[in-house]
Amino acid sequence: MTKDSQRMTQSVTRSLANPTIHRSVLDNGIVLITVENPAADIIAGRIFARVGGRWEPREQAGLSHLLSTVLTKGTDRLSSLEIAERVESVGASLGADAAADYFLLSLKTVSADFPEMLQLAGELLRRPSFPEAEVELERRLALQDIRSQQEQPFTIAFDQLRQAMYQNHPYGFSSLGTEATVSGLSRADLQQYHQTYFRPDNLVISLAGRLTPQDAVDLVNQVFGDWQSGTTPLPTLSLPQITPEPISCATPQDTQQSIVMLGYVAPSVQETDYACLKLLNTYLGNGLSSRLFVELREKRGLAYDVSAFYPTRLETSQFVVYMGTAPENTAIAYEGLRTEVERLCTTQLSDRELQAAKNKLLGQYALGKQTNAQLAQVFGWYEILGLGIEFDTEFQEKVTSVTPEFAKQVACRYFTEPYVSLVGPAEKLNIKT
């Protein structure tokens, strides 16, 4: 057994169809997921940190997003230009992103160049310099994005709905933050945030491609093995309770169409009904064959755009249906959306309808795991959310086992009184909810 092998404190291998997924916990607390997939000479990496929108103080909303834009712009020995040249010289890709429940650094390159790119990623994670000029530039760009979104009716409606549903909870804010919060962010804020949360016992590294689990352990130990977390515990996350109180909100705007949006409080990814609601979301609003599209756009001609979405969240989520419609159809659109959602509580889906939704959902799920980048993303994401690599098969089994009777029961649990968000010409927004 090699020295690096001895550094592993836990190792689990699961054969989930093809390819094989291997999970290790390294000596310094890093969780390493290896997806051995020799089909292509590409290795993709995803480095997740347990930090994101949920960890931001309310007055610093947008901090994770700003950090993601600046993290790749300099280290204590490399400039932004030098970093870009190193990535582009080997045709690799490297970038950072922030979500509500995690932070992500992504990289991809041919196998021969992967050690060099992982070394660069490690330097960015461990020793970012946050150059003042880059911080100021990215902050200005973020403010431009925020102002641009404030002119988009859909974004206005969704922000309004999200704020009504979550109030002071971090899920109530856009990942970009607000003009007020982003304007107040500083380089010192980024440094403090980074020093607090970017540490090995708070990371998941997921690698997929032409490498063995031992290769992955060796590579990660070379780059991160000497990184220690110290003795300071991670801050305890304390968030406000989400107490459902459905209300209606309207923003008058002189637009060519009205946005009608309904939101229902829905379970987190860790709750029993999650898989069933994902299936109902597929049935209602996923694609041109979905119930909302066929009934409200194709048959009744009400919608410019109509759909549904149900974000995967570590805490209480939201099930949202929405429509863009002609202003004169605002009231009819509201009734149509609500009727289609509540129909799931009164009319049991047929076996045929349910099976079609299952086929669509599971087919799209399989297509989302075709490339090494997708594999690294999916299995690292499961781990950072605390679901484990077994969730891959568990989710599919739960979807397959949903019956028409159970689907109706779940719908009745959540699709009761909706939050309502409207944007459009003032004279068309006075509807009975």
Side-chain angles (χ1 to χ4, degrees), residues 52-357:
R54 287 171 69 236
W55 287 262
E56 295 170 354
R58 185 181 179 187
E59 66 275 11
Q60 292 185 326
L63 181 59
S64 300
H65 171 76
L66 183 60
L67 192 148
S68 74
T69 63
V70 183
L71 186 76
T72 59
K73 299 302 171 59
T75 71
D76 54 9
R77 71 182 189 93
L78 294 173
S79 68
S80 176
L81 180 59
E82 289 170 327
I83 292 168
E85 287 176 343
R86 288 193 177 204
V87 174
E88 293 172 7
S89 68
V90 295
S93 66
L94 188 151
D97 196 11
D101 293 322
Y102 59 86
F103 186 97
L104 176 63
L105 184 66
S106 305
L107 58 154
K108 182 177 69 172
T109 186
V110 296
S111 302
D113 296 322
F114 189 75
E116 179 186 351
M117 283 300 101
L118 186 64
Q119 188 73 44
L120 178 59
E123 188 169 342
L124 293 171
L125 275 175
R126 299 177 64 173
R127 294 181 291 277
S129 59
F130 303 123
E132 192 71 63
E134 297 287 354
V135 173
E136 183 57 32
L137 172 61
E138 294 299 336
R139 185 172 58 184
R140 288 203 307 268
L141 292 173
L143 288 169
Q144 288 177 16
D145 288 342
I146 291 168
R147 291 167 187 144
S148 174
Q149 288 193 354
Q150 290 171 349
E151 299 173 358
Q152 300 169 19
F154 176 87
T155 303
I156 294 170
F158 184 50
D159 283 349
Q160 185 171 251
L161 179 73
R162 183 168 49 195
Q163 188 65 60
M165 295 183 76
Y166 289 109
Q167 299 178 32
N168 293 323
H169 191 283
Y171 285 174
F173 297 91
S174 163
S175 62
L176 292 175
T178 68
E179 285 194 68
T181 60
V182 173
S183 296
L185 296 177
S186 68
R187 177 174 182 266
D189 294 328
L190 295 174
Q191 290 175 315
Q192 179 62 39
Y193 196 57
H194 176 267
Q195 290 168 8
T196 301
Y197 292 104
F198 286 76
R199 42 191 274 180
D201 61 351
N202 206 34
L203 295 184
V204 171
I205 299 179
S206 179
L207 306 180
R210 191 173 290 178
L211 78 173
T212 67
Q214 188 59 54
D215 291 336
V217 169
D218 292 342
L219 277 171
V220 172
N221 271 322
Q222 287 168 19
V223 177
F224 298 100
D226 63 341
W227 192 13
Q228 299 300 317
S229 297
T231 57
T232 305
L234 285 161
T236 301
L237 191 61
S238 179
L239 298 175
Q241 288 286 97
I242 299 169
T243 53
E245 295 179 8
I247 60 172
S248 296
C249 308
T251 297
Q253 193 175 63
D254 188 17
T255 59
Q256 298 299 310
Q257 63 174 302
S258 292
I259 303 296
V260 181
M261 194 172 286
L262 277 59
Y264 302 83
V265 173
S268 75
V269 66
Q270 296 171 327
E271 295 180 59
T272 303
D273 294 335
Y274 169 80
C276 183
L277 278 174
K278 277 293 184 185
L279 186 59
L280 292 179
N281 175 73
T282 299
Y283 169 76
L284 267 183
N286 187 334
L288 305 185
S289 62
S290 67
R291 175 79 186 187
L292 293 180
F293 191 92
V294 171
E295 294 297 321
L296 300 181
R297 178 183 165 101
E298 294 298 289
K299 292 185 178 179
R300 299 180 62 184
L302 289 175
Y304 299 130
D305 182 28
V306 62
S307 192
F309 57 92
Y310 170 37
T312 297
R313 291 283 181 264
L314 267 174
E315 294 192 48
T316 301
S317 186
Q318 55 187 162
F319 192 108
V320 179
V321 295
Y322 69 91
M323 185 192 303
T325 190
E328 61 270 19
N329 290 331
T330 301
I332 302 172
Y334 165 78
E335 289 297 336
L337 279 175
R338 187 159 183 178
T339 296
E340 290 301 332
V341 174
E342 293 179 357
R343 171 182 172 272
L344 296 172
C345 306
T346 58
T347 304
Q348 188 167 289
L349 295 181
S350 68
D351 290 332
R352 181 174 170 276
E353 288 175 314
L354 197 60
Q355 189 59 51

Side-chain angles (χ1 to χ4, degrees), residues 357-370:
K358 289 179 182 180
N359 293 344
K360 183 191 294 186
L361 176 58
L362 295 176
Q364 292 174 341
Y365 188 72
L367 289 174
K369 297 182 294 179
Q370 295 294 297

Side-chain angles (χ1 to χ4, degrees), residues 30-62:
I30 289 176
V31 177
L32 174 61
I33 306 294
T34 307
V35 187
E36 192 173 359
N37 184 29
D41 190 27
I42 296 289
I43 298 178
R46 296 289 187 270
I47 305 176
F48 292 85
R50 286 185 188 86
V51 68
R54 287 171 69 236
W55 287 262
E56 295 170 354
R58 185 181 179 187
E59 66 275 11
Q60 292 185 326

